[in-house]
Amino acid sequence: MNALVALSAADAAVLLDDPEPRLLDVGLMRLCGRDLAVPAVNVREVVPLPEKLQPSFSGSNASAGSIVIRGRVIPVLDVAARLGFEARSGEDGVVLILRHDAALIGIIMDSVSGLARVAHDSIQPFTVSGVEDHRIVSSSFPHDGALVGLLDPAAVLALPGVPHAREHTAGSDAGGAGARSAVVLVTVAGANLALDAKRVVATVPNALIRPSPAPSSKWVGVVSYLGQEVPVVDDLALFGLSGRAEPTSSGAVIILRLDDKQLLGFKIDRVERILPICERSIRPLPEALAKQLTLFRGAIVDHEGRQNLLLDGDALVRSDALRMIGALSRAQAAPVHSALADPTGATEERQPFLVFVAGERRRAAALSSVKQIIPFPQARTGLNRSGSALQGITSYNGAPLPLFDLSGTIADPEARADAVVLVVEKDGRFNGLVVDRLETVARSKLHRSPSNTADGSPTFFIDAKIGGKQEAVTLCDLANEAAHLA
């Protein structure tokens, strides 16, 4: 789970044609577990956060540094502390380039998660008694069950001592006044593709793909998004090309909207960048090739001189093959009960289990019991307790997440290169279980073991194919393990 996981493929730079009155188009983003938004008209583009920012020579310590985009130096701010958030965890993220009048400034965010159109009367201003400081978020609105803070670009640029760059008005910069849309540039099986940002809903990590209920060569699995089960494809043959996304846990799944009800996940290898374009940026394909690639509008040249084939959003909607798969998107079923809670029922059908290694033991857990899989965090509070497997505390969606080492060893998880954290939830609270590495996701029936635990409780195992061999793997209840390790 690298920067590509953190980078969402939805871009806020889309200027929708003829927007309805009293509606505001915004770009949605995440910072330190919180939801923020920016008016779409104020977003120039979104680029990955570089490993190291360039120095700022403004004479002010208000900026975190500078970023160079197409030869233009733009100051970058880290606003987490100013908003009262904890420090960002990790080095991954994006830089949101804000534009207000002719001024440009970069804002560090964790990810950009989509576009939304909200009613003006749903935006509620708020005040803070006794606070005279410049507040860059002074209103909010509800969206999909979350409260979203609306960032004010003018207030950001009005912060004392904050430097900014000037917009380039001459020439044909695609981010200038002629920009009317945005595209997400991705790489799949060596092919460079451009996706219309208006069709992009969000991006989720490949590690969240679950096996599909009906295995298919064209339908590789499902991911969950806002209570919906979204089918995922990885075969470029569906788009008239050839090749598949790499079968690894890196990369991401781009969720595309086909219509009001149908979503489709597209597994990719890498997000390159998000680019504002104008209509004249799109070059037509030669006639013979255009007849072969009917789902593409043309090509766009990126800043490295590569040709990126632009998928036609309207053609995707008309594709019978894609609509057939998209029709499989459905409301997510209620979470499957714990396999240990009702072993009799669980043995009657196959269900997905996550198989992992902790210490010298291979173990399994019901995949439905794992809320999310995250990398072992570098930024954490080093908290240890005598007699406890506690490895520290980190943040998860803004809440404290205790980390318990499931291996039973005293080795620092940072020394285990493949260590990951399994996030589990119980009674609305989260715990993280550190394991050495993930092995596979196996579909199996649940089997009763001949032996019991020390307190007389029954034990269970599953059959999993690992390295070409069928093995019996002991089942564990992660929520109970976390309570025991605490």
Side-chain angles (χ1 to χ4, degrees), residues 25 27 37 63 207 249 273 280 293 311 375 460 483:
D25 297 309
S63 68
S249 60
R273 68 186 300 134
R280 63 177 177 271
L293 303 178
L311 278 166
F460 301 89

Side-chain angles (χ1 to χ4, degrees), residues 25-386:
D25 297 309
V26 297
L28 303 173
M29 59 213 69
R30 297 276 292 174
L31 178 63
C32 300
R34 276 79 161 187
D35 293 294
L36 297 172
V38 173
V41 295
N42 294 110
V43 181
R44 185 178 189 265
E45 61 184 294
V46 181
V47 298
L49 177 66
E51 292 184 6
K52 183 179 180 181
L53 291 171
Q54 299 297 320
S56 173
F57 299 103
S58 63
S60 168
N61 59 3
S63 68
S66 301
I67 190 171
V68 180
I69 300 178
R70 298 188 294 280
R72 185 165 298 280
V73 179
I74 300 176
V76 175
L77 299 183
D78 188 344
V79 298
R82 186 175 292 274
L83 291 172
F85 299 168
E86 299 174 359
R88 294 179 62 252
S89 59
E91 299 178 353
D92 298 336
V94 297
V95 178
L96 184 71
I97 308 299
L98 291 181
R99 174 177 52 205
H100 179 65
D101 293 333
L104 296 176
I105 195 166
I107 305 291
I108 297 176
M109 294 286 172
D110 290 335
S111 63
V112 180
S113 52
L115 293 167
R117 177 170 281 187
V118 299
H120 275 283
D121 57 11
S122 71
I123 301 173
Q124 304 166 32
F126 58 86
T127 58
V128 180
S129 299
V131 175
E132 300 295 335
D133 192 14
H134 295 78
R135 286 185 295 117
I136 60 177
V137 174
S138 57
S139 60
S140 60
F141 59 88
H143 179 70
D144 285 335
L147 187 64
V148 182
L150 185 61
L151 199 70
D152 183 349
V156 172
L157 288 161
L159 290 171
V162 168
H164 61 266
R166 304 298 295 177
E167 178 69 280
H168 178 60
T169 56
S172 58
D173 188 344
R180 298 300 298 171
S181 63
V183 292
V184 182
L185 305 184
V186 303
T187 301
V188 188
N192 298 312
L193 306 180
L195 310 177
D196 185 345
K198 286 184 285 188
R199 290 286 175 188
V200 174
V201 177
T203 296
V204 298
N206 278 351
L208 298 185
I209 298 177
R210 306 194 310 274
S212 60
S216 164
S217 61
K218 294 182 180 179
W219 181 22
V220 298
V222 296
V223 294
S224 298
Y225 178 72
L226 293 181
Q228 193 162 351
E229 202 170 64
V230 181
V232 178
V233 300
D234 71 341
D235 191 353
L236 286 178
L238 291 166
F239 304 96
L241 302 171
S242 61
R244 291 179 181 268
E246 291 291 334
T248 64
S249 60
S250 61
V253 175
I254 303 281
I255 298 179
L256 302 172
R257 184 175 298 281
L258 299 183
D259 59 28
D260 290 341
K261 295 182 179 180
Q262 295 187 13
L263 300 177
L264 179 69
F266 181 25
K267 187 178 177 182
I268 64 166
D269 295 330
R270 188 167 59 254
V271 176
E272 299 292 351
R273 68 186 300 134
I274 299 171
L275 185 70
I277 64 168
C278 55
E279 192 65 26
R280 63 177 177 271
S281 304
I282 305 170
R283 301 299 182 184
L285 298 175
E287 183 178 358
L289 186 59
K291 290 181 178 179
Q292 299 289 329
L293 303 178
T294 56
L295 296 184
F296 295 89
R297 289 184 59 196
I300 294 170
V301 178
D302 62 25
H303 300 100
E304 285 72 38
R306 293 174 301 196
Q307 296 283 346
N308 296 261
L309 294 175
L310 175 62
L311 278 166
D312 186 335
D314 294 335
L316 293 181
V317 174
R318 293 193 300 267
S319 168
D320 291 337
L322 293 177
R323 286 190 62 84
M324 186 178 299
I325 298 174
L328 299 171
S329 57
R330 60 184 182 180
Q332 192 171 355
V336 180
H337 61 272
S338 168
L340 293 178
D342 186 3
T344 303
T347 57
E348 298 302 322
E349 59 180 272
R350 297 164 68 88
Q351 58 176 300
F353 294 88
L354 180 68
V355 180
F356 55 87
V357 174
E360 298 181 354
R361 300 176 59 191
R362 183 176 285 123
R363 307 175 76 177
L367 187 60
S368 59
S369 69
V370 181
K371 183 75 174 178
Q372 192 171 355
I373 303 170
I374 62 176
F376 183 78
Q378 301 298 314
R380 70 188 192 281
T381 300
L383 191 63
N384 295 296
R385 290 176 51 212
S386 177

